[in-house]
Amino acid sequence: MFSVIISTYNGAKSLVNTIENIKDGLKNFKSEIIIINDGSTDNTEKILNNYKSDKQFKIFNQVNKGVSASRNIGLDNLNLNTDYVVFVDDSDTVQSDYFKKINNFFIFNKDIDIAAVPLIRTNKGKRKHHSLNYRFYSKVDVVNIHKNYNFIHFHIGGMAFRFEIFKNAKYRFDETMTYWEDAKFINTLLLDKQKYGLVKETAYFYNSEDPNSLSKGAWSLKERYTPLIINNYMYLIKKSNQNFDKTIKYVQYLISTHYLEYLKMHNQEKIIKSEYFEKNDFEKISEALFENIDCNIIYDLNCEYLFKNYMLRLKGESLDVNKYIDDLDIYIHSYNPFNKKILFTFSKQTCSLPIESEVYLCYLKKKTRIAKVIKKKDTYILGEYIGDFSKNIYEIKLPIIAMFKATKMLIVAEKNSYVVINPSIINRIIKKVLYIRK
């Protein structure tokens, strides 16, 4: 038996579509659909009245208390004979075989109590896989959070649970929270259970158009700033230490990945302009947070090198360019065949090098020419100036032989130097032509 919990607030426009989608998916299962109307001011209650006579439904109307309180109402009113519990938001839908796939997984994995399904964002008819869906393309079917520490999870949508979990009253949503309540709930469970399943080849469809989505207005919430770090990141660190006497890699990777949202360039203006962002306090609590994050975890993150460097700086470190020495590259922006001059930059792995580092063209085993800095671009993260060497644009005149033979660029950065191979102009042209033909 399945129990589906739907919390709704002013979801009248999409609610019927969600309900009918869920009903259709459950047609071959014994089930209950528990809907909590969280103080809606539109005609949500009128819509729900149409389902009151259907024994498959349990309808609750309450004054607005928030999604956590709503979901807890659902958990406290589960049929005691149910087997599985899932949560669906009031504008989301699921693939037709969603419940069948979940049921089959739990039948064949009797020791697993939690499972995740691929989450796909929908917007105006377009679909986009969630950034964490890489897990579902692996050979892993059951995630061990100690072994598969980068298989992290945040969202309640697309998660399924055995009913037995909720017989323990401590597994409830934190009703004091208005942001990240689902991530805290899920990862509290995962730190106790330590394993969860991956249900592949089906999908949960998250409606990115929903105007009531808390994620859309999260940057306007006080809870999105220092309180998130103190009450949630630090909470998971504390729980990890209680359970395992250390901050396990899974928690480190989870927190670091989510912290990246503070660093992304498209979020900077919203953060800096927020009345709840206090630069000095946020930096201090961030430094305290990253005392619990190993450098190796930061290097493992799938993100821009500039962001890795920022997080390492919170630990008093900086990105070690030597780790990427074989990957360093030169990007030519323009080449003038008449004066043989090129405009170029270095690859992003060099971001941590001193902004004033000198660059030389090496030819015949000598420093023959020094490159001229044409432009420097200022970069700010969380209101702080961050030097980014990779954004420096240089100009230099190449020798004629550079048309046919690779040369070397030497970056001299304080006490260290780095050699970067510059392929010949002919070689670059051939690669570009081949790329275009593909």
Side-chain angles (χ1 to χ4, degrees), residues 304-356:
E304 293 185 28
Y305 295 100
L306 181 67
F307 301 156
K308 293 183 182 184
N309 188 46
Y310 183 91
M311 287 188 272
L312 287 165
R313 285 172 51 151
L314 290 173
K315 295 180 64 63
E317 305 279 342
S318 63
L319 192 75
D320 184 358
V321 179
N322 285 307
K323 288 181 178 288
Y324 309 102
I325 197 69
D326 294 331
D327 300 318
L328 300 185
D329 203 354
I330 295 168
Y331 303 134
I332 294 182
H333 297 258
S334 66
Y335 171 67
N336 188 323
F338 299 104
N339 61 18
K340 306 295 188 298
K341 289 183 178 181
I342 60 170
L343 291 180
F344 67 98
T345 56
F346 289 94
S347 52
K348 302 298 183 182
Q349 298 96 325
T350 63
C351 65
S352 63
L353 296 180
I355 203 77
E356 302 298 336

Side-chain angles (χ1 to χ4, degrees), residues 93-103 105 116-120 127 129 133 136-137 158 198-205:
T93 55
V94 300
Q95 194 164 294
S96 59
D97 61 356
Y98 180 79
F99 296 103
K100 177 182 177 181
K101 294 281 188 179
I102 291 171
N103 182 62
F105 176 85
V117 169
L119 190 150
I120 297 177
R127 293 180 175 181
H129 278 270
N133 281 358
F136 300 96
Y137 298 103
L198 297 176
V199 183
K200 303 173 182 179
E201 298 179 356
T202 189
Y204 179 100
F205 299 107

Side-chain angles (χ1 to χ4, degrees), residues 131-132 134 149-150 152-154 180 187 219 224 228-229 232-234 236-237 247-264 282 286-304 306-312 314-315 382:
S131 60
L132 297 181
Y134 59 81
Y149 65 85
N150 63 326
I152 56 176
H153 198 91
F154 296 110
W180 224 60
N187 287 290
W219 294 112
R224 187 64 179 87
L228 177 65
I229 297 177
N232 298 293
Y233 293 172
M234 290 299 196
L236 292 177
I237 287 171
T247 307
I248 62 171
K249 288 184 177 182
Y250 175 88
V251 170
Q252 294 184 47
Y253 198 91
L254 176 93
I255 291 170
S256 300
T257 298
H258 198 263
Y259 189 91
L260 285 171
E261 295 300 315
Y262 292 115
L263 310 183
K264 291 178 180 178
F282 191 85
S286 293
E287 288 173 351
L289 172 70
F290 274 83
E291 289 178 6
N292 301 280
I293 311 296
D294 295 337
C295 290
N296 288 338
I297 292 294
I298 297 173
Y299 280 106
D300 278 349
L301 294 174
N302 181 22
C303 68
E304 293 185 28
L306 181 67
F307 301 156
K308 293 183 182 184
N309 188 46
Y310 183 91
M311 287 188 272
L312 287 165
L314 290 173
K315 295 180 64 63
L382 300 178

Side-chain angles (χ1 to χ4, degrees), residues 16-81:
V16 172
N17 181 59
T18 296
I19 292 173
E20 294 304 318
N21 169 263
I22 298 303
K23 280 186 66 178
D24 187 59
L26 289 168
K27 61 187 177 184
N28 294 321
F29 295 96
K30 186 178 180 181
S31 64
E32 63 176 353
I33 300 175
I34 305 172
I35 305 178
I36 304 91
N37 175 21
D38 187 33
S40 297
T41 56
D42 60 4
N43 64 329
T44 292
E45 186 172 354
K46 182 178 179 181
I47 290 172
L48 293 179
N49 286 337
N50 296 325
Y51 294 95
K52 277 190 172 181
S53 61
D54 189 331
K55 293 183 179 179
Q56 186 181 13
F57 288 82
K58 293 178 181 176
I59 307 295
F60 297 89
N61 292 293
Q62 65 177 24
V63 295
N64 184 256
K65 295 181 180 180
V67 67
S68 292
S70 297
R71 289 169 176 162
N72 286 342
I73 289 288
L75 290 175
D76 291 339
N77 286 277
L78 293 171
N79 187 312
L80 297 180
N81 293 316

Side-chain angles (χ1 to χ4, degrees), residues 266-283:
H266 64 266
N267 289 330
Q268 294 307 301
E269 185 176 359
K270 289 176 282 190
I271 294 172
I272 296 303
K273 288 184 176 180
S274 171
E275 62 179 306
Y276 302 118
F277 176 72
E278 207 294 312
K279 181 177 178 296
N280 292 332
D281 288 347
F282 191 85
E283 185 175 347

Side-chain angles (χ1 to χ4, degrees), residues 105 109 112 135 138-143 196-200:
F105 176 85
N109 295 274
I112 303 299
R135 296 168 294 169
S138 71
K139 294 181 180 179
V140 176
D141 292 317
V142 174
V143 174
Y196 72 94
L198 297 176
V199 183
K200 303 173 182 179

Side-chain angles (χ1 to χ4, degrees), residues 390-408:
S390 71
K391 287 187 169 64
N392 286 358
I393 299 177
Y394 294 92
E395 179 187 70
I396 200 166
K397 183 177 180 179
L398 295 177
I400 294 175
I401 198 171
M403 283 289 295
F404 311 100
K405 188 176 180 181
T407 53
K408 295 178 181 179

